[in-house]
């Protein structure tokens, strides 16, 4: 049966760990100039209904590095954008391609694409989840905090959005303590929080100090995600103070790292000073998207 990469909750800890191990291995091979081409002759189709820099470029470059090729399919240019059903798009593209990646709004649309496609489907971000990012994030955390993340404290500050949802699952599965600080009404998905409370050391609070206390990793994301542009002004008001700045860092462990999935809005969720002081890990994290996506592709297509 074909395998998809849609949600981290459908991956066991062993599968997730194996993916991160493979990403680390592919990264080392690339650094040593010893890459092989396991995906020769394979084609990845990438459907984008939202903007992207990192996801698009790293999947495309990654596919080339693995010996295959990638097609950028903007929904503005394919018939999907003119109302062709996702079920038909899935069945047609499955006849031409070996793998599909999609970035869209509704998680349900990705699920329908995967249900009708006979080839593996990768979730390249929905309003609900961003699992690809979290594979790169966990690789970065391992690089800075050691391979065993058990007992390390992860703190996310800001909007309870797609990133928060996926980070809760990925970090808790990895044995980390997870702390979320966000304003009332902007919490992560209720089902994920329920699962988190039942399956790990989890706290969601409005209090940044409480969430960041002793944290090994501080993480944030934009206050207004793609598709929420109309709410940006109201969100700037609601999220005031939910920022990674010098004060937030003072609550965390002395050797805490700061991560951000990017793009960053300096002066909103993070200060320019913290961004620059932690540029090393933040841009390692961005680089790790490449290695993580290659691992996802190899694991689905090998
Ligand atoms: N972090 C992330 O997914 O970046 P892009 O939107 O540029 O792909
Ligand atoms: N929460 C952000 C993540 C961007 C990578 C968004 O969905 O726009």
């Amino acid at each position: 049966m074909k395998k998809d990469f849609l949600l981290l909750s459908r991956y066991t800890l062993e599968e997730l760990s194996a993916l991160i191990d493979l990403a680390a291995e592919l990264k080392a091979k690339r650094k040593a100039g010893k890459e092989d081409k396991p995906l020769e002759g394979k084609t990845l189709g990438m459907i984008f209904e939202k903007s992207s820099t990192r996801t698009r470029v790293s999947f495309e470059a990654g596919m080339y590095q693995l010996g295959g090729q990638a097609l950028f399919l903007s929904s503005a240019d394919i018939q999907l954008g003119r109302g062709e059903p996702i079920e038909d798009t899935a069945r047609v593209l499955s006849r031409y391609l070996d793998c599909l990646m999609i970035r869209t709004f509704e998680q349900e649309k990705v699920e329908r694409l995967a249900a009708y496609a006979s080839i593996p489907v990768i979730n390249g971000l929905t309003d609900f989840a961003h699992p690809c990012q979290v594979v790169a994030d966990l690789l970065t955390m391992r690089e800075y905090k050691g391979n065993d993340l058990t007992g390390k404290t992860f703190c996310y500050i800001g909007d309870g959005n797609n990133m928060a949802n996926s980070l809760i699952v990925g970090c808790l599965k990895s044995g980390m303590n997870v702390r979320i600080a966000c304003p009332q009404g902007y919490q992560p998905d209720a089902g994920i929080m329920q699962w988190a409370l039942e399956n790990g050391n989890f706290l969601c609070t409005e209090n940044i100090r409480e969430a960041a206390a002793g944290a090994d990793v501080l993480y944030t994301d934009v206050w207004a995600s793609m598709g929420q542009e109309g709410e940006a002004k109201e969100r700037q008001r609601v999220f005031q103070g939910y920022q990674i700045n010098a004060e937030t860092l003072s609550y965390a462990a002395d050797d805490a790292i700061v991560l951000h999935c990017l793009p960053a809005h300096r002066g909103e969720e993070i200060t320019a000073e913290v961004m620059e002081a932690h540029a090393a890990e933040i841009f390692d994290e961005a680089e790790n998207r490449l290695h993580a996506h290659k691992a996802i592709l190899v694991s689905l297509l090998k």
Side-chain angles (χ1 to χ4, degrees):
M1 212 180 85
K2 65 133 177 168
K3 198 162 166 61
D4 301 304
F5 184 77
L6 304 187
L7 288 175
L8 293 178
S9 55
R10 298 184 194 152
Y11 270 61
T12 63
L13 169 61
E14 290 69 31
E15 288 171 321
L16 183 58
S17 288
L19 213 46
I20 302 164
D21 289 343
L22 180 58
E25 191 189 311
L26 291 168
K27 180 172 184 173
K29 275 191 181 165
R30 178 161 174 80
K31 302 275 176 201
K34 286 190 185 142
E35 285 191 282
D36 36 34
K37 307 224 175 291
L39 300 189
E40 202 147 11
K42 304 275 190 205
T43 307
L44 167 74
M46 308 186 297
I47 302 173
F48 280 92
E49 298 202 286
K50 289 176 174 172
S51 307
S52 171
T53 297
R54 282 145 287 270
T55 307
R56 176 186 172 174
V57 178
S58 58
F59 263 111
E60 191 162 333
M63 204 57 198
Y64 282 118
Q65 289 166 19
L66 293 166
Q69 54 182 332
L71 297 177
F72 173 67
L73 305 168
S74 160
S75 59
D77 301 324
I78 60 173
Q79 300 286 8
L80 181 67
R82 293 181 60 248
E84 183 167 19
I86 195 84
E87 293 83 353
D88 293 358
T89 305
R91 285 177 284 190
V92 171
L93 294 180
S94 294
R95 305 285 179 119
Y96 307 140
L97 304 170
D98 301 287
C99 189
L100 271 170
M101 198 239 45
I102 180 166
R103 167 169 288 196
T104 189
F105 295 86
E106 311 87 357
Q107 178 68 26
E108 182 262 336
K109 196 167 186 176
V110 175
E111 303 290 343
R112 274 194 287 140
L113 179 72
Y116 281 83
S118 58
I119 56 177
V121 173
I122 299 168
N123 179 358
L125 180 147
T126 61
D127 293 344
F128 180 71
H130 195 4
C132 292
Q133 176 73 49
V134 174
V135 178
D137 295 342
L138 289 169
L139 173 61
T140 314
M141 289 183 233
R142 277 195 191 183
E143 289 172 344
Y144 281 87
K145 295 290 164 196
N147 267 351
D148 186 5
L149 295 170
T150 313
K152 301 278 181 208
T153 299
F154 173 88
C155 168
Y156 176 95
I157 293 172
D159 187 20
N161 59 16
N162 44 11
M163 275 316 316
N165 287 339
S166 291
L167 283 162
I168 291 171
V169 177
C171 292
L172 273 188
K173 274 191 192 261
S174 304
M176 303 180 84
N177 310 318
V178 175
R179 312 276 176 256
I180 308 282
C182 61
Q184 193 63 37
Y186 293 84
Q187 282 103 343
D189 176 76
I192 289 184
M193 289 213 291
Q194 187 58 38
W195 173 86
L197 285 167
E198 288 164 7
N199 287 281
N201 187 327
F202 177 75
L203 172 80
C204 182
T205 169
E206 286 174 60
N207 187 321
I208 294 176
R209 186 173 194 151
E210 186 184 13
D216 300 293
V217 181
L218 289 176
Y219 198 114
T220 191
D221 183 19
V222 291
W223 290 342
S225 286
M226 291 181 276
Q228 297 174 330
E229 290 76 11
E231 298 171 32
K233 242 194 150 65
E234 166 68 358
R235 284 173 167 268
Q236 287 207 0
R237 191 188 61 74
V238 172
F239 285 98
Q240 273 315 311
Y242 286 88
Q243 183 186 62
I244 300 188
N245 52 33
E247 188 184 335
T248 324
L249 266 168
S250 74
Y251 306 142
D254 290 340
D255 61 349
I257 60 165
V258 176
L259 298 179
H260 192 311
C261 56
L262 304 177
H265 290 184
R266 291 168 173 79
E268 293 187 12
E269 76 277 2
I270 190 165
T271 59
E273 293 73 27
V274 171
M275 257 313 273
E276 289 316 314
H278 291 271
E281 58 259 32
I282 291 171
F283 292 100
D284 278 351
E285 177 190 15
E287 175 189 328
N288 284 340
R289 297 295 301 283
L290 174 71
H291 312 300
H293 297 168
K294 287 164 76 175
I296 293 167
L297 289 165
V298 169
S299 78
L300 294 177
L301 288 172
K302 68 173 185 260

